[in-house]
Amino acid sequence: TAALGGAYAEMVPLLAALDYTKAIAAAQAEFEAKTNRIFLATASAEKRFDPPINKPLLLLRRDLATVSAVKYTPQGGSTTTFTSGDDYVLEPVNAAGEGRPYYGIHFAQWKWQGPINLARRGSIYVTGFWGWGTTTTGFPDDVYWAMHALGACKLWPQIAARRSGGMLSWTQQGSGQDYGVAPYGSMRKEWDDQVQSAMSTYRRISI
């Protein structure tokens, strides 16, 4: 909670009383859409790629958390199943130790000559969990907290109403307090800034 500021701890019981789980799910979906990335890979899937022509590195152009199979099946041909460590290595090689996803496959033994024909289009089959990681504990800290901040911001009208007891302001004998959004406006702005900063950092540019 420290990443969201001390005031976030005060909000925890309040958020628990609201539909925070749904808000977090919506925040994750929005964050992933705006960064053009999947952070939580929930199921294994097979994706097809053209073989890299005249070079050993196949750029996946998406995050890969884990891989279970890499195969080559040209149209009308037989299937070759590649062995990790012998036929290929995932790039970057130190990604797992640094808590980062893979972005490419380096083929050690195979080299495809161009130009590519239709029989070889989409002939590389990669099966694995596509995303940054397979659990939220593998998220970068700033991404994890940005999603929580975004989820809290989505509930801001309810939060403001509950914090103020439904009153906008009160006065009594020369003293009072203006609730509205002003007392917590700076906190929300801080969270908004945190969300935008994380989105900017992790946004993937598609070409």
Side-chain angles (χ1 to χ4, degrees), residues 11 14 22-23 29 40 55 67 70 81-83 89 99 128 138 141 169 177 179 189 203:
M11 295 290 187
L14 189 61
K22 183 181 291 185
L40 181 60
K55 57 185 178 182
V67 65
V70 179
T81 300
F82 297 121
T83 301
V89 293
D141 286 345
S169 63
Q177 186 171 359
Y179 291 103
K189 183 181 183 305
R203 182 172 291 111

Side-chain angles (χ1 to χ4, degrees), residues 1-26:
T1 59
L4 291 182
Y8 181 80
E10 302 175 14
M11 295 290 187
V12 171
L14 189 61
L15 292 171
L18 300 171
D19 199 349
Y20 193 42
T21 301
K22 183 181 291 185
I24 286 293

Side-chain angles (χ1 to χ4, degrees), residues 28 32 37-45 63-66 128-136 139:
Q28 178 184 330
E32 290 182 338
R37 300 187 107 111
I38 299 297
F39 282 90
L40 181 60
T42 57
S44 179
D63 298 325
L64 177 62
T66 64
F129 281 77
W130 297 91
W132 191 283
T134 56
T135 65
T136 55
F139 285 10

Side-chain angles (χ1 to χ4, degrees), residues 74-140:
Q75 183 178 350
S78 59
T79 296
T80 300
T81 300
F82 297 121
T83 301
S84 176
D86 292 329
D87 298 313
Y88 74 90
V89 293
L90 298 175
E91 295 284 358
V93 293
N94 57 349
E98 295 179 353
R100 299 182 62 84
Y102 300 105
Y103 61 72
I105 300 175
H106 184 105
F107 290 97
Q109 308 294 336
W110 283 65
K111 186 175 182 180
W112 290 267
Q113 301 292 335
I116 190 171
N117 56 28
L118 291 178
R120 293 189 293 172
R121 292 298 304 270
S123 58
I124 301 290
Y125 293 75
V126 182
T127 303
F129 281 77
W130 297 91
W132 191 283
T134 56
T135 65
T136 55
T137 56
F139 285 10

Side-chain angles (χ1 to χ4, degrees), residues 42-76:
T42 57
S44 179
E46 180 183 79
K47 296 187 182 297
R48 299 172 60 183
F49 300 88
D50 294 341
I53 300 301
N54 302 322
K55 57 185 178 182
L57 181 63
L58 170 62
L59 292 176
L60 302 173
R61 302 188 186 281
R62 66 199 74 193
D63 298 325
L64 177 62
T66 64
V67 65
S68 57
V70 179
K71 300 178 181 181
Y72 173 58
T73 308
Q75 183 178 350

